[in-house]
Structure formats: structure tokens, C-alpha cells
């Protein structure tokens, strides 16, 4: 009698590092550069163990100059290499935005497609661990708003590995946003969601395709990264009261999988969008506009949004918990939406 093959569990950071290692083994043009990506293994573990495998010529610790090393990555990509540059915190984009937006995003277009930039800019996002206003943002919408780059934000270890592989192989520049809390690091809060089944071999998860993380018929909840985790928690609580919520893990902002969202809304007739980015001009507004434009008359209730108020993220734990959406807030909002019927 055959026994089922035991599935392997990895944390988010180990899944990412494994994807990078497998691609580096297959392609000598792939290399990593950034602050503390070598001996330290990345401050959030994204390059753990890679220095020992590939050495300092391919896992390159850089000075604290984001403009310099992201510019170097752009130049390398223009010459046919496949660099992976780590911007330690997404909050630091301000010191190197010229390189990101005026060079990385625009060179392929301004060259008429003659210069490709097959590079990955990976960066850590997210708060809820009291690191204050300059180290706790997600800024999904900031990058999604700027044309010329693909922007992805996987949630599960399986998707972190598969989408990193896809990003490295892609001929367009990709901003790869990983959530600190979903890396599974020992010094942060431990979540079941930060550990998952990950195949040993290389595989791809497509960029630009959302995932229906939970099927339901009563309401659609669209989230990304930690907001997907909280939406699934809220959905379990709602299910005990006979409310069947469908949860969509967006996974990708650019390209945006509009079809999956619209198909879901046409089934459930209600929509709640949840985001760890700021409320105004962000992902919640974009998703709401897409549904309003293409499926407004399918809705039985107004669209609702949950996101961070338009304030810097507080250092104080109680204040931070107050501004960031939670499973309880999602649960309460869904209940309010259904009570309005």
C-alpha cells in the first residue's frame, strides 16, 4: 500500500530564499545586492544562507546608499543580467525614487522596448510590531500607481516561492513586496499563515492572477497579505453564524486580476475591500472603482472599505492596533453590511 508523500513545511523567508537559490543555480546572470543581504541573510531573512552557497561575488552586501545599488542593478539589468536588489524597508523608497520611477520603470518604454530590465526590486512592507511611522508602511498603491513596473505582494510561503521565481524570470522590472509578519521570523509574532507547504523543486505562480482563498456566497472580501489572513479569520467566525464569505487574496497589484474580483461580486452581490495601506487614493479605492465601473448593478449593498486612516502609523502599540484593520474589524463590518439589508 502506497503512503502519501509527506509535504514539506517552510516559513515565508525560507521559501523566498529557496526560490532565489534555485534560480541562481540555473542562471549565472542572477545575483543579489543590497544592505545586509550577505552574512546577515537579509534583515527579514529573504537571503538566508545564500552567501555560503554563492559567495560574495553574487550575494553582494552594499553600502547604505539605495540610489547607488539600485542604480547599479538597473545598469546590470540593461546589460542582460538578472539582478535582485533589496530595498530593506519600502519606507526608504524616498531616497531612491528617481532610480525606481525615472529609470527602472521608464527605460524599457523610452527605449522603444529595445532595452529590457529583467530585475527584481524586493522590499519589506507592513507594521503591527511597533516600528513607528518610518518603518511600518505598505505603500502598495504608491508603486502600483507608477506605470512601467509589475507590482506583486504574495501572502503564503507557496506563493512567495512561486512568484519570486516568476519575478526573476520575467523580462520586465518587478517590485516584489514581502510582508515582514509573514516571513516566519522567530523575533516577530508567530503566525500559522507564515508557515506552509512548499515543493522542493522550482515552480512558478503567475504574476497578475488573484487567488480565491476561500469560497463563499454571501459577501466578497478582497485583501492582500496580512489583510487576507485577517479576512480568513473573520470568515471562519462569520461561518459559525451562517454567513459564508468569499475571500480573495489579491497577490498582484500590477497586473490587476479584475476578472476574479468581478466574477466573485457577481456571485455574492456584496464587496468589502481591506488594505494595510492608507485609505485615500489607494487599493481600496481602485478595487471599488473597478467594481463600480463593471459590476455596479450586481451589488445589493454599497461597497465598504477598511484601511489605515490618513495618518502616519503610530509607534504606540494601542494606537497602532487602533489604526490597522483587524479580523475583528472585518467581522464587525461584514455584520453591519448584512444588517443593512
Amino acid at each position: 500500500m502506497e503512503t502519501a508523500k509527506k509535504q514539506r513545511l517552510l516559513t515565508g523567508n525560507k521559501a523566498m530564499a529557496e526560490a532565489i537559490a534555485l534560480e541562481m543555480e540555473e542562471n549565472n546572470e542572477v545575483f543579489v545586492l543590497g544592505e545586509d543581504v550577505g552574512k546577515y541573510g537579509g534583515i527579514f531573512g529573504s537571503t538566508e544562507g545564500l552567501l555560503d552557497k554563492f559567495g560574495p561575488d553574487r550575494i553582494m552586501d552594499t553600502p547604505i546608499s539605495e540610489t547607488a545599488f539600485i542604480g547599479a542593478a538597473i545598469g546590470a539589468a540593461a546589460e542582460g543580467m538578472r539582478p535582485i536588489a533589496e530595498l530593506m524597508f519600502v519606507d526608504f523608497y524616498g531616497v531612491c525614487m528617481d532610480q525606481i520611477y525615472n529609470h527602472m520603470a521608464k527605460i524599457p518604454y523610452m527605449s522603444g522596448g529595445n532595452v529590457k530590465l529583467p530585475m527584481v526590486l524586493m522590499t519589506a512592507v507592513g507594521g503591527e510590531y511597533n516600528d513607528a511611522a518610518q518603518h511600518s508602511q505598505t505603500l502598495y498603491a504608491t508603486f502600483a500607481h507608477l506605470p512601467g513596473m509589475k507590482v506583486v505582494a504574495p501572502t503564503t510561503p507557496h506563493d512567495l516561492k512561486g512568484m519570486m521565481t516568476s519575478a526573476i524570470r520575467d523580462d520586465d522590472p518587478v517590485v516584489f513586496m514581502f510582508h515582514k509578519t509573514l516571513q516566519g521570523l522567530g523575533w516577530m509574532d508567530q503566525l500559522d499563515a507564515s508557515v506552509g507547504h512548499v515543493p522542493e523543486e522550482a515552480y512558478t505562480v503567475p504574476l497578475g492572477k488573484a487567488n480565491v482563498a476561500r469560497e463563499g456566497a454571501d459577501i466578497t472580501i478582497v485583501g492582500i497579505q496580512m489583510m487576507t489572513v485577517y479576512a480568513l479569520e473573520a470568515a471562519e467566525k462569520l461561518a459559525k453564524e451562517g454567513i459564508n464569505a468569499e475571500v480573495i487574496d489579491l497577490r498582484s497589484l500590477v497586473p490587476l486580476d479584475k476578472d476574479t474580483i468581478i466574477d466573485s461580486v457577481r456571485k455574492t452581490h456584496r464587496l468589502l475591500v481591506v488594505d494595510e495601506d492608507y485609505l485615500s487614493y489607494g487599493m481600496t479605492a481602485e478595487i471599488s472603482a473597478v467594481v463600480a465601473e463593471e459590476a455596479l448593478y450586481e451589488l445589493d449593498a454599497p461597497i465598504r472599505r477598511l484601511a489605515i486612516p490618513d495618518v502616519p502609523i503610530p509607534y504606540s502599540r494601542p494606537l497602532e492596533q487602533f489604526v490597522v484593520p483587524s479580523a475583528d474589524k472585518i467581522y464587525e463590518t461584514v455584520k453591519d453590511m448584512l444588517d443593512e439589508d
Side-chain angles (χ1 to χ4, degrees), residues 172-232:
D172 294 316
V174 179
V175 178
F176 191 100
M177 307 173 92
F178 60 90
H179 199 288
K180 304 155 196 169
T181 307
L182 294 171
Q183 290 293 88
L185 303 175
W187 56 272
M188 299 189 74
D189 291 340
Q190 295 298 292
L191 297 177
D192 290 343
S194 67
V195 179
H197 298 294
V198 179
E200 290 188 41
E201 68 275 8
Y203 61 90
T204 59
V205 172
L207 309 183
K209 181 65 178 172
N211 177 49
V212 179
R214 187 185 194 280
E215 294 191 357
D218 296 327
I219 185 169
T220 298
I221 307 173
V222 176
I224 192 165
Q225 293 187 323
M226 278 304 299
M227 297 303 109
T228 300
V229 174
Y230 290 153
L232 289 169

Side-chain angles (χ1 to χ4, degrees), residues 102-288:
N102 279 327
H103 298 272
M104 189 178 95
K106 292 180 178 173
I107 285 173
Y109 172 78
M110 294 182 73
S111 69
N114 290 303
V115 178
K116 297 184 184 300
L117 292 182
M119 64 174 287
V120 179
L121 176 63
M122 63 179 180
T123 187
V125 303
E128 292 195 88
Y129 68 110
N130 310 116
D131 220 0
Q134 296 174 345
H135 297 75
S136 301
Q137 299 170 99
T138 57
L139 303 179
Y140 301 128
T142 300
F143 290 89
H145 177 70
L146 306 175
M149 309 176 290
K150 294 179 179 177
V151 183
V152 299
T155 300
T156 66
H158 179 275
D159 288 350
L160 281 161
K161 179 176 176 178
M163 294 181 79
M164 176 57 79
T165 302
S166 294
I168 295 169
R169 296 179 184 180
D170 202 293
D171 284 338
D172 294 316
V174 179
V175 178
F176 191 100
M177 307 173 92
F178 60 90
H179 199 288
K180 304 155 196 169
T181 307
L182 294 171
Q183 290 293 88
L185 303 175
W187 56 272
M188 299 189 74
D189 291 340
Q190 295 298 292
L191 297 177
D192 290 343
S194 67
V195 179
H197 298 294
V198 179
E200 290 188 41
E201 68 275 8
Y203 61 90
T204 59
V205 172
L207 309 183
K209 181 65 178 172
N211 177 49
V212 179
R214 187 185 194 280
E215 294 191 357
D218 296 327
I219 185 169
T220 298
I221 307 173
V222 176
I224 192 165
Q225 293 187 323
M226 278 304 299
M227 297 303 109
T228 300
V229 174
Y230 290 153
L232 289 169
E233 290 179 21
E236 289 300 313
K237 188 175 179 181
L238 290 163
K240 294 175 182 177
E241 301 180 27
I243 300 169
N244 195 4
E246 180 149 297
V247 177
I248 295 176
D249 182 10
L250 203 57
R251 297 197 298 193
S252 176
L253 289 161
V254 183
L256 178 65
D257 184 0
K258 299 179 182 180
D259 291 341
T260 294
I261 298 165
I262 292 166
D263 288 346
S264 178
V265 169
R266 285 178 173 152
K267 177 173 64 170
T268 68
H269 308 292
R270 294 175 185 84
L271 174 65
L272 170 63
V273 193
V274 193
D275 191 9
E276 196 178 342
D277 204 348
Y278 302 115
L279 179 66
S280 297
Y281 316 105
M283 187 195 88
T284 59
E286 182 65 23
I287 301 300
S288 298

Side-chain angles (χ1 to χ4, degrees), residues 14 20 34 42 60 64 78 83 96 158 166 209 258 278-279 286 310 321 340:
K14 286 181 167 53
I20 295 169
M60 303 170 61
I64 302 175
C96 52
H158 179 275
S166 294
K209 181 65 178 172
K258 299 179 182 180
Y278 302 115
L279 179 66
E286 182 65 23
D310 299 327
Q321 291 173 336
E340 289 172 357

